[in-house]
Amino acid sequence: MNWQDLRRSGNVDDRRGMSGGGKVAVGGIGVIIVVVIGLLTGQDPSAILNTIQNNQSSEQQVQTRPEGPRPDDKTADMVSAILGSTEDVWTEIYKENGSTYKLPTLQIFENSSQSACGGASSAMGPFYCPADQQVYIDLEFCDELRDKFNAPGDFAVAYVVAHEVGHHVQNLMGITDKLQQQRQRLSEEDYNKLSVKLELQADFLAGVWANHAEKMSNILQPGDLEAALTAANAIGDDKLQKESQGYVVPDAFTHGTSKQRMYWFKKGFDTGDLNQGKFDDIQ
């Protein structure tokens, strides 16, 4: 991926070297995010919740970031460049539609942090919190993409960041609020179906970003699209469930199958047209 010449975002909150501290309160929308986002890591959401609760601390601990370069500085720089690209693309798309894009913030943390949706843990994987309009990522996940999910390459990371920014776009569109309003009126199985549509549309929006970013900045190198599709395939619900528990439970899907995730990212990339991925049309 040609990211070196991209503009770096000024909306990155780099908290590497600092502990999240504080008492972790995972409730309400925080629980929903763990359930919806947690499967990204291939773990049972209840196990993630237990880990967060067991490791919570009652007193805040802040560590001073050591001076000098860090091994993950290049990855942090790349993430900032990717976020800058999403800002440029979505600002232009919103402008073309006569509106203004509100920029999200991306927080880079280590091990744990705090979000307006509750505690943020590296075990949750990257996620977006609509309450504070921030994307959260522990850069170790970038290593997991390569080593655990067999999805190497910078563009695999770009796909994940663009997916989370896609959730921000959904939030700005009012889609997230509409889903939350239905949460109490639906069974878990029916709400899971809406969660799948939400995730697949975020994949589509990531593809839309890639389409426009390529036209604006020529970001793609040979193999990049395949890297993103490999990442999408690796984090499908069916694949993760099969690997973690040995069998698949479709009613428990919250993100969509590998095939669905690849399809919607590819459709966004091929068309670059928001009208091709309306929420009601996602399936």
PDB file of all heavy atoms in Angstrom, residues 123-145:
ATOM      1  N   ALA A 123      -8.318  -7.029  24.162  1.00  0.00           N
ATOM      2  CA  ALA A 123      -8.995  -8.290  23.847  1.00  0.00           C
ATOM      3  C   ALA A 123     -10.233  -8.076  22.983  1.00  0.00           C
ATOM      4  O   ALA A 123     -10.702  -9.005  22.323  1.00  0.00           O
ATOM      5  CB  ALA A 123      -9.390  -9.005  25.132  1.00  0.00           C
ATOM      6  N   MET A 124     -10.760  -6.866  22.987  1.00  0.00           N
ATOM      7  CA  MET A 124     -11.956  -6.574  22.204  1.00  0.00           C
ATOM      8  C   MET A 124     -11.640  -6.359  20.738  1.00  0.00           C
ATOM      9  O   MET A 124     -12.531  -6.406  19.893  1.00  0.00           O
ATOM     10  CB  MET A 124     -12.655  -5.330  22.756  1.00  0.00           C
ATOM     11  CG  MET A 124     -13.183  -5.468  24.165  1.00  0.00           C
ATOM     12  SD  MET A 124     -13.649  -3.878  24.896  1.00  0.00           S
ATOM     13  CE  MET A 124     -14.934  -3.343  23.779  1.00  0.00           C
ATOM     14  N   GLY A 125     -10.386  -6.085  20.425  1.00  0.00           N
ATOM     15  CA  GLY A 125     -10.043  -5.733  19.061  1.00  0.00           C
ATOM     16  C   GLY A 125     -10.428  -4.287  18.796  1.00  0.00           C
ATOM     17  O   GLY A 125     -10.995  -3.598  19.647  1.00  0.00           O
ATOM     18  N   PRO A 126     -10.130  -3.765  17.613  1.00  0.00           N
ATOM     19  CA  PRO A 126     -10.504  -2.392  17.273  1.00  0.00           C
ATOM     20  C   PRO A 126     -12.024  -2.212  17.326  1.00  0.00           C
ATOM     21  O   PRO A 126     -12.768  -3.129  16.967  1.00  0.00           O
ATOM     22  CB  PRO A 126      -9.988  -2.224  15.841  1.00  0.00           C
ATOM     23  CG  PRO A 126      -8.927  -3.274  15.694  1.00  0.00           C
ATOM     24  CD  PRO A 126      -9.384  -4.425  16.528  1.00  0.00           C
ATOM     25  N   PHE A 127     -12.476  -1.059  17.784  1.00  0.00           N
ATOM     26  CA  PHE A 127     -13.913  -0.808  17.813  1.00  0.00           C
ATOM     27  C   PHE A 127     -14.181   0.695  17.744  1.00  0.00           C
ATOM     28  O   PHE A 127     -13.292   1.518  17.957  1.00  0.00           O
ATOM     29  CB  PHE A 127     -14.566  -1.416  19.054  1.00  0.00           C
ATOM     30  CG  PHE A 127     -14.237  -0.708  20.349  1.00  0.00           C
ATOM     31  CD1 PHE A 127     -15.070   0.272  20.862  1.00  0.00           C
ATOM     32  CD2 PHE A 127     -13.095  -1.050  21.067  1.00  0.00           C
ATOM     33  CE1 PHE A 127     -14.772   0.923  22.054  1.00  0.00           C
ATOM     34  CE2 PHE A 127     -12.791  -0.418  22.259  1.00  0.00           C
ATOM     35  CZ  PHE A 127     -13.628   0.582  22.755  1.00  0.00           C
ATOM     36  N   TYR A 128     -15.432   1.006  17.455  1.00  0.00           N
ATOM     37  CA  TYR A 128     -15.881   2.393  17.403  1.00  0.00           C
ATOM     38  C   TYR A 128     -16.903   2.620  18.495  1.00  0.00           C
ATOM     39  O   TYR A 128     -17.812   1.810  18.686  1.00  0.00           O
ATOM     40  CB  TYR A 128     -16.505   2.712  16.038  1.00  0.00           C
ATOM     41  CG  TYR A 128     -17.184   4.065  15.981  1.00  0.00           C
ATOM     42  CD1 TYR A 128     -16.427   5.238  15.930  1.00  0.00           C
ATOM     43  CD2 TYR A 128     -18.567   4.171  15.978  1.00  0.00           C
ATOM     44  CE1 TYR A 128     -17.051   6.489  15.882  1.00  0.00           C
ATOM     45  CE2 TYR A 128     -19.200   5.409  15.920  1.00  0.00           C
ATOM     46  CZ  TYR A 128     -18.442   6.566  15.878  1.00  0.00           C
ATOM     47  OH  TYR A 128     -19.052   7.798  15.837  1.00  0.00           O
ATOM     48  N   CYS A 129     -16.758   3.714  19.224  1.00  0.00           N
ATOM     49  CA  CYS A 129     -17.708   4.089  20.264  1.00  0.00           C
ATOM     50  C   CYS A 129     -18.539   5.268  19.769  1.00  0.00           C
ATOM     51  O   CYS A 129     -18.006   6.373  19.617  1.00  0.00           O
ATOM     52  CB  CYS A 129     -16.974   4.453  21.558  1.00  0.00           C
ATOM     53  SG  CYS A 129     -18.075   5.096  22.855  1.00  0.00           S
ATOM     54  N   PRO A 130     -19.827   5.074  19.511  1.00  0.00           N
ATOM     55  CA  PRO A 130     -20.653   6.182  19.008  1.00  0.00           C
ATOM     56  C   PRO A 130     -20.860   7.283  20.040  1.00  0.00           C
ATOM     57  O   PRO A 130     -21.105   8.432  19.680  1.00  0.00           O
ATOM     58  CB  PRO A 130     -21.975   5.500  18.639  1.00  0.00           C
ATOM     59  CG  PRO A 130     -22.007   4.242  19.435  1.00  0.00           C
ATOM     60  CD  PRO A 130     -20.584   3.805  19.567  1.00  0.00           C
ATOM     61  N   ALA A 131     -20.744   6.946  21.332  1.00  0.00           N
ATOM     62  CA  ALA A 131     -20.996   7.937  22.379  1.00  0.00           C
ATOM     63  C   ALA A 131     -19.950   9.049  22.392  1.00  0.00           C
ATOM     64  O   ALA A 131     -20.251  10.196  22.721  1.00  0.00           O
ATOM     65  CB  ALA A 131     -21.058   7.257  23.744  1.00  0.00           C
ATOM     66  N   ASP A 132     -18.690   8.731  22.055  1.00  0.00           N
ATOM     67  CA  ASP A 132     -17.658   9.769  21.993  1.00  0.00           C
ATOM     68  C   ASP A 132     -17.090   9.952  20.586  1.00  0.00           C
ATOM     69  O   ASP A 132     -16.159  10.725  20.378  1.00  0.00           O
ATOM     70  CB  ASP A 132     -16.524   9.488  22.982  1.00  0.00           C
ATOM     71  CG  ASP A 132     -15.851   8.139  22.753  1.00  0.00           C
ATOM     72  OD1 ASP A 132     -15.972   7.579  21.648  1.00  0.00           O
ATOM     73  OD2 ASP A 132     -15.197   7.641  23.696  1.00  0.00           O
ATOM     74  N   GLN A 133     -17.660   9.202  19.635  1.00  0.00           N
ATOM     75  CA  GLN A 133     -17.264   9.299  18.225  1.00  0.00           C
ATOM     76  C   GLN A 133     -15.760   9.086  18.060  1.00  0.00           C
ATOM     77  O   GLN A 133     -15.076   9.824  17.353  1.00  0.00           O
ATOM     78  CB  GLN A 133     -17.704  10.639  17.626  1.00  0.00           C
ATOM     79  CG  GLN A 133     -19.207  10.829  17.647  1.00  0.00           C
ATOM     80  CD  GLN A 133     -19.700  12.025  16.862  1.00  0.00           C
ATOM     81  OE1 GLN A 133     -18.953  12.679  16.155  1.00  0.00           O
ATOM     82  NE2 GLN A 133     -20.985  12.308  16.959  1.00  0.00           N
ATOM     83  N   GLN A 134     -15.272   8.029  18.695  1.00  0.00           N
ATOM     84  CA  GLN A 134     -13.856   7.695  18.613  1.00  0.00           C
ATOM     85  C   GLN A 134     -13.668   6.241  18.185  1.00  0.00           C
ATOM     86  O   GLN A 134     -14.436   5.366  18.575  1.00  0.00           O
ATOM     87  CB  GLN A 134     -13.154   7.900  19.951  1.00  0.00           C
ATOM     88  CG  GLN A 134     -13.026   9.342  20.385  1.00  0.00           C
ATOM     89  CD  GLN A 134     -11.999   9.523  21.489  1.00  0.00           C
ATOM     90  OE1 GLN A 134     -10.810   9.276  21.282  1.00  0.00           O
ATOM     91  NE2 GLN A 134     -12.451   9.942  22.663  1.00  0.00           N
ATOM     92  N   VAL A 135     -12.629   6.032  17.398  1.00  0.00           N
ATOM     93  CA  VAL A 135     -12.165   4.688  17.055  1.00  0.00           C
ATOM     94  C   VAL A 135     -11.046   4.336  18.027  1.00  0.00           C
ATOM     95  O   VAL A 135     -10.186   5.168  18.314  1.00  0.00           O
ATOM     96  CB  VAL A 135     -11.645   4.626  15.609  1.00  0.00           C
ATOM     97  CG1 VAL A 135     -11.014   3.270  15.311  1.00  0.00           C
ATOM     98  CG2 VAL A 135     -12.775   4.917  14.615  1.00  0.00           C
ATOM     99  N   TYR A 136     -11.050   3.115  18.542  1.00  0.00           N
ATOM    100  CA  TYR A 136     -10.040   2.660  19.491  1.00  0.00           C
ATOM    101  C   TYR A 136      -9.290   1.473  18.890  1.00  0.00           C
ATOM    102  O   TYR A 136      -9.909   0.546  18.360  1.00  0.00           O
ATOM    103  CB  TYR A 136     -10.687   2.231  20.815  1.00  0.00           C
ATOM    104  CG  TYR A 136     -11.283   3.382  21.590  1.00  0.00           C
ATOM    105  CD1 TYR A 136     -12.542   3.888  21.270  1.00  0.00           C
ATOM    106  CD2 TYR A 136     -10.586   3.983  22.634  1.00  0.00           C
ATOM    107  CE1 TYR A 136     -13.092   4.959  21.964  1.00  0.00           C
ATOM    108  CE2 TYR A 136     -11.123   5.050  23.351  1.00  0.00           C
ATOM    109  CZ  TYR A 136     -12.375   5.527  23.001  1.00  0.00           C
ATOM    110  OH  TYR A 136     -12.903   6.595  23.695  1.00  0.00           O
ATOM    111  N   ILE A 137      -7.959   1.505  19.001  1.00  0.00           N
ATOM    112  CA  ILE A 137      -7.161   0.402  18.470  1.00  0.00           C
ATOM    113  C   ILE A 137      -5.883   0.227  19.274  1.00  0.00           C
ATOM    114  O   ILE A 137      -5.204   1.207  19.603  1.00  0.00           O
ATOM    115  CB  ILE A 137      -6.836   0.626  16.974  1.00  0.00           C
ATOM    116  CG1 ILE A 137      -6.095  -0.583  16.393  1.00  0.00           C
ATOM    117  CG2 ILE A 137      -6.039   1.901  16.760  1.00  0.00           C
ATOM    118  CD1 ILE A 137      -5.938  -0.538  14.874  1.00  0.00           C
ATOM    119  N   ASP A 138      -5.614  -1.010  19.621  1.00  0.00           N
ATOM    120  CA  ASP A 138      -4.308  -1.401  20.164  1.00  0.00           C
ATOM    121  C   ASP A 138      -3.514  -1.928  18.970  1.00  0.00           C
ATOM    122  O   ASP A 138      -3.966  -2.847  18.273  1.00  0.00           O
ATOM    123  CB  ASP A 138      -4.487  -2.482  21.226  1.00  0.00           C
ATOM    124  CG  ASP A 138      -3.183  -2.851  21.927  1.00  0.00           C
ATOM    125  OD1 ASP A 138      -2.119  -2.829  21.267  1.00  0.00           O
ATOM    126  OD2 ASP A 138      -3.218  -3.194  23.123  1.00  0.00           O
ATOM    127  N   LEU A 139      -2.334  -1.374  18.734  1.00  0.00           N
ATOM    128  CA  LEU A 139      -1.576  -1.723  17.536  1.00  0.00           C
ATOM    129  C   LEU A 139      -1.135  -3.175  17.496  1.00  0.00           C
ATOM    130  O   LEU A 139      -0.738  -3.681  16.446  1.00  0.00           O
ATOM    131  CB  LEU A 139      -0.360  -0.803  17.399  1.00  0.00           C
ATOM    132  CG  LEU A 139      -0.674   0.681  17.200  1.00  0.00           C
ATOM    133  CD1 LEU A 139       0.603   1.478  17.008  1.00  0.00           C
ATOM    134  CD2 LEU A 139      -1.609   0.891  16.003  1.00  0.00           C
ATOM    135  N   GLU A 140      -1.215  -3.874  18.636  1.00  0.00           N
ATOM    136  CA  GLU A 140      -0.900  -5.301  18.622  1.00  0.00           C
ATOM    137  C   GLU A 140      -1.859  -6.063  17.719  1.00  0.00           C
ATOM    138  O   GLU A 140      -1.537  -7.145  17.224  1.00  0.00           O
ATOM    139  CB  GLU A 140      -0.953  -5.877  20.035  1.00  0.00           C
ATOM    140  CG  GLU A 140       0.252  -5.502  20.899  1.00  0.00           C
ATOM    141  CD  GLU A 140       0.304  -6.302  22.179  1.00  0.00           C
ATOM    142  OE1 GLU A 140      -0.587  -7.162  22.385  1.00  0.00           O
ATOM    143  OE2 GLU A 140       1.221  -6.071  22.975  1.00  0.00           O
ATOM    144  N   PHE A 141      -3.050  -5.495  17.511  1.00  0.00           N
ATOM    145  CA  PHE A 141      -4.002  -6.154  16.629  1.00  0.00           C
ATOM    146  C   PHE A 141      -3.464  -6.256  15.208  1.00  0.00           C
ATOM    147  O   PHE A 141      -3.789  -7.198  14.476  1.00  0.00           O
ATOM    148  CB  PHE A 141      -5.340  -5.411  16.621  1.00  0.00           C
ATOM    149  CG  PHE A 141      -6.368  -6.044  15.727  1.00  0.00           C
ATOM    150  CD1 PHE A 141      -7.063  -7.167  16.150  1.00  0.00           C
ATOM    151  CD2 PHE A 141      -6.627  -5.546  14.462  1.00  0.00           C
ATOM    152  CE1 PHE A 141      -7.999  -7.782  15.322  1.00  0.00           C
ATOM    153  CE2 PHE A 141      -7.559  -6.146  13.630  1.00  0.00           C
ATOM    154  CZ  PHE A 141      -8.240  -7.268  14.063  1.00  0.00           C
ATOM    155  N   CYS A 142      -2.652  -5.288  14.813  1.00  0.00           N
ATOM    156  CA  CYS A 142      -2.062  -5.329  13.472  1.00  0.00           C
ATOM    157  C   CYS A 142      -1.155  -6.546  13.327  1.00  0.00           C
ATOM    158  O   CYS A 142      -1.092  -7.174  12.255  1.00  0.00           O
ATOM    159  CB  CYS A 142      -1.287  -4.048  13.195  1.00  0.00           C
ATOM    160  SG  CYS A 142      -2.292  -2.548  13.319  1.00  0.00           S
ATOM    161  N   ASP A 143      -0.466  -6.899  14.418  1.00  0.00           N
ATOM    162  CA  ASP A 143       0.347  -8.114  14.409  1.00  0.00           C
ATOM    163  C   ASP A 143      -0.539  -9.353  14.383  1.00  0.00           C
ATOM    164  O   ASP A 143      -0.213 -10.353  13.745  1.00  0.00           O
ATOM    165  CB  ASP A 143       1.255  -8.150  15.640  1.00  0.00           C
ATOM    166  CG  ASP A 143       2.272  -7.014  15.647  1.00  0.00           C
ATOM    167  OD1 ASP A 143       2.686  -6.592  14.552  1.00  0.00           O
ATOM    168  OD2 ASP A 143       2.636  -6.553  16.746  1.00  0.00           O
ATOM    169  N   GLU A 144      -1.683  -9.285  15.091  1.00  0.00           N
ATOM    170  CA  GLU A 144      -2.615 -10.418  15.101  1.00  0.00           C
ATOM    171  C   GLU A 144      -3.191 -10.665  13.717  1.00  0.00           C
ATOM    172  O   GLU A 144      -3.424 -11.818  13.328  1.00  0.00           O
ATOM    173  CB  GLU A 144      -3.746 -10.171  16.092  1.00  0.00           C
ATOM    174  CG  GLU A 144      -3.340 -10.261  17.558  1.00  0.00           C
ATOM    175  CD  GLU A 144      -4.531 -10.200  18.477  1.00  0.00           C
ATOM    176  OE1 GLU A 144      -5.673 -10.159  17.977  1.00  0.00           O
ATOM    177  OE2 GLU A 144      -4.327 -10.207  19.710  1.00  0.00           O
ATOM    178  N   LEU A 145      -3.452  -9.589  12.976  1.00  0.00           N
ATOM    179  CA  LEU A 145      -3.953  -9.772  11.619  1.00  0.00           C
ATOM    180  C   LEU A 145      -2.996 -10.635  10.805  1.00  0.00           C
ATOM    181  O   LEU A 145      -3.417 -11.526  10.057  1.00  0.00           O
ATOM    182  CB  LEU A 145      -4.116  -8.418  10.926  1.00  0.00           C
ATOM    183  CG  LEU A 145      -5.434  -7.677  11.060  1.00  0.00           C
ATOM    184  CD1 LEU A 145      -5.367  -6.350  10.311  1.00  0.00           C
ATOM    185  CD2 LEU A 145      -6.598  -8.511  10.544  1.00  0.00           C
TER     186      LEU A 145
END
